[in-house]
């Protein structure tokens, strides 16, 4: 290494009897000391993250303690399948991240780049699925209190949501930019740029894999959708469309507005058909919400003073469901911002890993980013059951 | 850059050989356990356990979090000081949440939820 010749002169003066490796800052005696100091700093940062998120969990706890039935009722609107898939994706990204730290320690450079790219891809899939969840809820009017406008009889949105396009646009532009950069690098023979651009193209493409995955799972869901939504939105899911067409009265199924508003008998009759998953799901969700909001559940500590009629039966108001969605968006949104920040630092690591900056004495940055990434995963581990799995 | 000056002479020097890579089978095992616990927690959500529900999901989540902390975050083999700092934060989290929760129940009547009207049907799609 060229620097080893020059370094002793400048560093002997402050008492080193050995040469500096280029990665060792000269106020540290050994790489281990450097690593441990950085790690301590990272842990302190993670503590501030825990305290920061605890404020959100505290808000959640207060509102859930006051109105458990609101949380149960609104949780019906969150798609457990999408949440579970995202949990799996994040857990897998944690695996690849921990593996990346190992690769940095064992100096397997190719594998390190691959593992970082895999982690980044999982992060992108997570965001893609999340954007489907968000855009779908925004279209329904399931928003924080000030904007909350959900009503079961609202006309359903058809086709691709504008919100989804807005959210996907930065990623599409990023993907386009990377492809252009890759082609330019290819033309000029810049091997380093090619080695960086290739995995990053895969990473950005993975956002759209997530969008596709979310669309498929969302359209297959049966939790709270009425039939017209299925009939309208499932252009791609011919299976469900066929199932609805196969139902005894497909005209009634297609004209879902009349169904969802009043005609319970037709709906119940349709729901008896096994293949009619959309209507079956809606009926089941309504029954469950009825039980939850009505007489079925008496939350601990709640007082029932009046007759049954005075017990609130509708949690679908701004100060109830609206507050739930306010909490939901802030918690998952800030988590998603952390994912975005993670994507930023992981990209930085990917570039450095292509540059082969890391070795068994200098893997600190990979380790620290890994710790951050695991904390983000850790928070999701709690968010998922608290938001999606309430009943 | 690939030829590391330190690699031939400094490997056995004190403070230079501190990387302890976690074995791949260990990583995969932890991942398998985490996935299994996720499946369990999703599956249990379809059983009505009443008031135990939250407790059960939280216990499962905490087991998962512990696995991530101990093995993915290397706390099991790390300097104990890092663990103490990290667990210390949870003491403060507990203090914060317990006091705020008990406060919110005792003091503020203006905190009581309002029963307002549901939104009206929108006419435009």
């Amino acid at each position: 290494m060229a620097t080893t010749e020059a370094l002793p002169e400048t560093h002997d003066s402050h008492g080193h009897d050995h040469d500096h490796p280029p990665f060792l800052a000269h106020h540290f005696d050994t790489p281990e000391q450097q690593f441990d100091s950085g790690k301590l700093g990272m842990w302190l940062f993670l503590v501030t993250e825990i305290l920061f998120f605890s404020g959100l969990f505290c808000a959640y706890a207060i509102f859930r303690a006051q109105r458990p039935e609101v949380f149960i009722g609104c949780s019906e609107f969150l798609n457990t399948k999408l949440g579970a898939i995202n949990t799996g994706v994040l857990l897998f990204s944690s695996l690849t991240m921990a593996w990346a730290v190992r690769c940095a320690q064992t100096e397997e450079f190719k594998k390190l780049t691959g593992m970082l790219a895999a982690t980044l891809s999982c992060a992108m899939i997570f965001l893609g699925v999340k954007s489907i969840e968000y855009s779908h809820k925004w279209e329904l009017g399931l928003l924080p209190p000030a904007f909350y406008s959900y009503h079961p009889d609202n006309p359903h949105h058809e086709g691709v949501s504008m919100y989804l396009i807005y959210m996907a646009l930065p990623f599409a532009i990023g993907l386009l930019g990377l492809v252009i950069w890759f082609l330019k690098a290819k033309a000029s023979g810049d091997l380093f740029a090619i080695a960086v651009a290739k995995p990053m193209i895969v990473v950005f493409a993975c956002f759209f894999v997530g969008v596709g995955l979310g669309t498929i799972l969302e359209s297959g869901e049966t939790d709270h959708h009425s039939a017209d939504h299925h009939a309208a939105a499932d252009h791609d899911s011919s299976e469900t469309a066929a199932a609805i067409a196969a139902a005894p009265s497909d005209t009634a199924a297609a004209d879902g507005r009349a169904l969802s508003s009043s005609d319970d008998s037709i709906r119940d009759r349709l729901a008896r058909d096994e293949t009619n998953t959309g209507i079956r799901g809606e009926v089941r969700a309504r029954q469950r919400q009825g039980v939850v909001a009505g007489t079925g559940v008496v939350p601990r500590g709640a007082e029932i003073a009046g007759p049954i009629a005075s017990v609130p039966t509708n949690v679908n108001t701004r100060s109830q469901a609206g507050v739930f969605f306010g909490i939901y968006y802030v918690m998952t949104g800030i988590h998603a911002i952390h994912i975005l920040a993670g994507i930023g630092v992981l990209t930085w690591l990917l570039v450095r890993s292509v540059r082969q900056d890391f070795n068994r004495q200098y893997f600190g940055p990979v380790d620290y980013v890994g710790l951050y990434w695991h904390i983000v995963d850790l928070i999701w581990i709690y968010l998922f059951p608290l938001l999606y799995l309430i009943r | 850059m690939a030829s590391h000056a330190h690699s031939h002479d400094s490997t056995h020097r004190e403070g230079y050989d501190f990387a302890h890579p976690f074995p791949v089978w260990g990583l995969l095992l932890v991942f398998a356990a985490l996935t299994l616990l996720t499946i369990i927690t999703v599956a249990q959500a379809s059983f009505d356990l009443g008031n135990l529900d939250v407790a059960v999901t939280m216990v499962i989540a905490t087991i998962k979090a512990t696995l991530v902390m101990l093995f993915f975050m290397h706390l099991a083999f790390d300097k104990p000081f890092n663990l103490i700092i990290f667990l210390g934060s949870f003491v403060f989290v507990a203090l914060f949440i317990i006091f705020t929760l008990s406060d919110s129940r005792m003091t503020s009547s203006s905190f009581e939820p309002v029963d307002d009207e549901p939104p009206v049907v929108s006419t435009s799609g």
Side-chain angles (χ1 to χ4, degrees):
Chain A
M1 199 152 291
T3 46
T4 47
E5 295 306 310
L7 278 170
E9 295 164 34
T10 48
H11 290 279
D12 273 347
S13 54
H14 54 260
H16 286 289
D17 55 352
H18 59 81
D19 57 301
H20 271 290
F23 51 79
L24 181 62
H26 63 196
H27 51 281
F28 291 116
D29 284 338
T30 62
E32 184 175 17
Q33 190 194 29
Q34 174 171 271
F35 173 74
D36 284 342
S37 314
K39 195 159 191 175
L40 178 62
M42 197 63 205
W43 275 110
L44 289 173
F45 168 64
L46 295 188
V47 165
T48 66
E49 288 281 88
I50 294 286
L51 295 174
F52 166 53
F53 271 97
S54 76
L56 305 179
F57 281 102
C58 190
Y60 174 95
I62 288 172
F63 284 103
R64 185 161 179 192
Q66 286 191 341
R67 272 300 174 83
E69 74 275 14
V70 174
F71 280 69
I72 297 167
C74 293
S75 183
E76 294 284 320
F77 288 108
L78 303 185
N79 190 329
T80 309
K81 255 186 276 169
L82 292 182
I85 279 290
N86 260 355
T87 310
V89 167
L90 265 200
L91 287 177
F92 185 75
S93 78
S94 261
L95 169 72
T96 53
M97 188 69 235
W99 205 330
V101 174
R102 185 196 143 84
C103 291
Q105 291 170 329
T106 55
E107 304 183 348
E108 299 163 86
F109 301 117
K110 274 258 155 61
K111 220 165 158 192
L112 171 61
T113 310
M115 285 298 163
L116 291 172
T119 312
L120 275 164
S121 303
C122 286
M124 285 294 191
I125 292 176
F126 181 93
L127 289 181
V129 173
K130 202 90 220 141
S131 68
I132 289 286
E133 287 191 77
Y134 275 2
S135 60
H136 186 70
K137 284 182 187 60
W138 294 346
E139 288 295 351
L140 288 175
L142 296 166
L143 290 160
F147 312 102
Y148 188 84
S149 59
Y150 174 74
H151 193 287
D153 296 342
N154 276 353
H156 279 289
H157 180 78
E158 292 178 25
V160 179
S161 160
M162 276 318 280
Y163 299 118
L164 180 61
I165 292 170
Y166 295 144
M167 278 188 284
L169 205 57
F171 297 95
I173 293 169
L175 183 59
L176 192 68
L178 281 167
V179 170
I180 291 169
W181 187 45
F182 174 73
L183 293 176
K184 271 175 97 176
K186 199 98 181 173
S188 63
D190 185 346
L191 290 177
F192 178 76
I194 291 172
V196 173
K198 243 195 271 178
M200 285 313 288
I201 287 173
V202 176
V203 164
F204 271 70
C206 271
F207 177 83
F208 298 96
V209 172
V211 169
L213 191 67
T215 313
I216 292 167
L217 289 175
E218 180 81 50
S219 61
E221 88 167 84
T222 54
D223 266 24
H224 59 268
H225 283 268
S226 53
D228 61 342
H229 184 66
H230 274 269
D234 289 354
H235 302 302
D236 47 345
S237 168
S238 52
E239 210 175 302
T240 321
I244 288 174
S249 64
D250 54 340
T251 47
D255 184 20
R257 291 244 351 237
L259 279 177
S260 58
S261 56
S262 61
D263 204 341
D264 286 339
S265 62
I266 293 181
R267 200 179 46 215
D268 287 344
R269 196 144 43 81
L270 283 175
R272 251 173 254 140
D273 188 340
E274 283 284 340
T275 57
N276 232 339
T277 51
I279 296 175
R280 283 173 74 82
E282 192 204 347
V283 167
R284 205 184 39 171
R286 271 164 186 266
Q287 281 166 351
R288 216 186 288 174
Q289 281 179 351
V291 168
V292 157
T295 57
V297 172
V298 179
R300 201 160 39 149
E303 288 177 27
I304 298 187
I308 294 299
S310 75
V311 174
T313 54
N314 195 355
V315 298
N316 175 33
T317 69
R318 289 184 169 199
S319 71
Q320 297 176 86
V323 169
F324 172 87
F325 281 101
I327 291 173
Y328 164 81
Y329 285 119
V330 171
M331 290 184 97
T332 58
I334 288 181
H335 181 265
I337 288 172
H338 277 78
I339 299 263
L340 281 173
I343 287 174
V345 280
L346 278 164
T347 307
W348 169 69
L349 280 189
L350 187 104
V351 174
R352 291 194 70 181
S353 132
V354 172
R355 217 164 58 194
Q356 303 199 348
D357 272 5
F358 305 114
N359 57 63
R360 92 189 89 113
Q361 290 165 6
Y362 179 67
F363 53 88
V366 186
D367 201 302
Y368 310 150
V369 170
L371 289 178
Y372 170 81
W373 194 252
H374 295 312
I375 272 284
V376 174
D377 184 30
L378 217 65
I379 286 159
W380 185 260
I381 284 176
Y382 281 98
L383 278 184
F384 170 58
L386 283 177
L387 291 170
Y388 290 80
L389 296 181
I390 315 171
R391 50 157 293 136
Chain B
M1 186 58 80
S3 64
H4 298 293
H6 54 274
S7 57
H8 48 85
D9 63 332
S10 57
T11 6
H12 302 295
R13 220 187 278 166
E14 176 77 16
Y16 277 77
D17 193 19
F18 59 98
H20 305 293
F22 193 63
V24 171
W25 62 263
L27 293 173
L28 292 174
L29 207 63
V30 173
F31 175 66
L34 288 170
T35 312
L36 187 71
L37 284 166
T38 307
I39 293 169
I40 291 173
T41 197
V42 172
Q44 72 83 35
S46 46
F47 298 107
D48 197 354
L49 303 174
N51 286 332
L52 277 176
D53 229 31
V54 185
V56 170
T57 52
M58 285 300 95
V59 166
I60 293 175
T62 306
I63 295 171
K64 285 166 76 180
T66 312
L67 283 174
V68 171
M69 275 158 51
L70 286 182
F71 301 109
F72 282 177
M73 300 173 95
H74 309 295
L75 274 176
F77 338 96
D78 209 355
K79 302 257 184 317
F81 191 57
N82 290 334
L83 183 66
I84 293 168
I85 289 178
F86 191 50
L87 292 183
S89 75
F90 290 102
V91 175
F92 291 99
V93 169
L95 280 175
F96 168 50
I97 289 186
I98 289 168
F99 279 105
T100 316
L101 263 183
S102 58
D103 250 20
S104 78
R105 289 187 161 205
M106 285 180 188
T107 54
S108 176
S109 57
S110 64
F111 223 75
E112 285 304 307
V114 191
D115 289 323
D116 50 357
E117 289 304 308
V120 291
V121 184
S122 72
T123 45
S124 65

